[in-house]
Amino acid sequence: MGDTLYRQEEPVVFLKPDSSLLKDGKPFFLPDHLGRVDYEGELVVRICRLGKNIPERFAHRYYDAVTVGVDFTARDMQRRLKEQQLPWALSKGFDGAAVIGTWVAIDSLPPVQQLHFTLSRNGEVVQRGDAAEMLFSVDLLISYVSQFCTLKTGDLLYTGTPAGVGPVALDDHIEGWIEEKKVLEFNVK
């Protein structure tokens, strides 16, 4: 996102309402009133137990599955809100803005920080992610967020996007993989 070599002191965290969740391969309906909408493919972890102030060394006990998700962002709106120094939650929390794929149990995969994931648009790979290159590890993210919000069973944590973010258009076909396993597939309508 333009800051490739820049690492912030703390993760940037935002929340999405449950109405932004889109699952089971349902189509994403592109909201035409929001301007440009960008895909951001991400590794997503599913929280499996209640936790508050979780030490990083124990964070691995608080998630049981991963998938690939898409964090859609209304980029024009986000840019405008940032320029006005206003919160930009609406640019990321609109209906359908949090797509998730099929869950894969972590015990059937390599360690989470060794996972590779990809996102394709219309058959062309547009993002390749390597969890080992994340700015903040999954365990650190869980520990950090749990200092402010009690994590509950079923909460989802999107972990950030690799290079390759871009706009979606009508009739796009989006697919995502963890390692060699396809876990995400949907169309843009």
Side-chain angles (χ1 to χ4, degrees), residues 16-135:
K16 290 187 180 227
D18 61 0
S19 62
S20 67
L21 190 61
L22 185 64
K23 58 185 184 172
D24 301 326
K26 293 180 181 165
F28 171 69
F29 290 96
L30 189 60
D32 54 3
H33 68 287
L34 293 180
R36 177 178 165 159
V37 175
D38 286 353
Y39 59 82
E40 297 180 24
E42 304 189 19
L43 186 66
V44 183
V45 297
R46 181 178 67 193
I47 302 301
C48 64
R49 59 192 284 198
L50 186 71
K52 176 77 176 157
N53 294 318
I54 302 166
E56 185 177 351
R57 70 183 181 278
F58 297 129
H60 66 279
R61 299 177 182 174
Y62 288 82
Y63 54 95
D64 64 351
V66 296
T67 191
V68 172
V70 174
D71 168 20
F72 280 116
T73 303
R75 194 67 69 203
D76 296 334
M77 174 189 266
Q78 183 188 44
R79 192 172 294 118
R80 187 175 64 253
L81 292 169
K82 281 183 169 184
E83 286 170 359
Q84 296 172 18
Q85 297 183 341
L86 295 171
W88 38 272
L90 289 178
S91 70
K92 289 192 153 291
F94 56 91
D95 289 351
V99 184
I100 57 167
T102 304
W103 295 106
V104 180
I106 58 168
D107 58 7
S108 68
L109 293 167
V112 72
Q113 286 310 135
Q114 294 177 16
L115 293 177
H116 299 89
F117 61 98
T118 56
L119 190 76
S120 73
R121 177 179 173 231
N122 303 322
E124 177 185 342
V125 173
V126 291
Q127 290 188 281
R128 293 183 192 280
D130 181 347
E133 296 176 358
M134 293 171 57
L135 295 177

Side-chain angles (χ1 to χ4, degrees), residues 11 106 160 165 182 185:
I106 58 168
V165 169
K182 186 193 290 190
E185 184 170 13

Side-chain angles (χ1 to χ4, degrees), residues 1-14 78 82 88 133-137 140-141 144 159-161:
M1 301 299 297
D3 297 326
T4 306
L5 299 177
Y6 173 71
R7 179 179 167 155
Q8 296 149 205
E9 299 268 332
E10 298 176 341
V12 174
V13 177
F14 54 88
Q78 183 188 44
K82 281 183 169 184
W88 38 272
E133 296 176 358
M134 293 171 57
L135 295 177
F136 301 99
S137 72
L140 187 145
L141 290 170
Y144 180 78
T159 60
T161 193

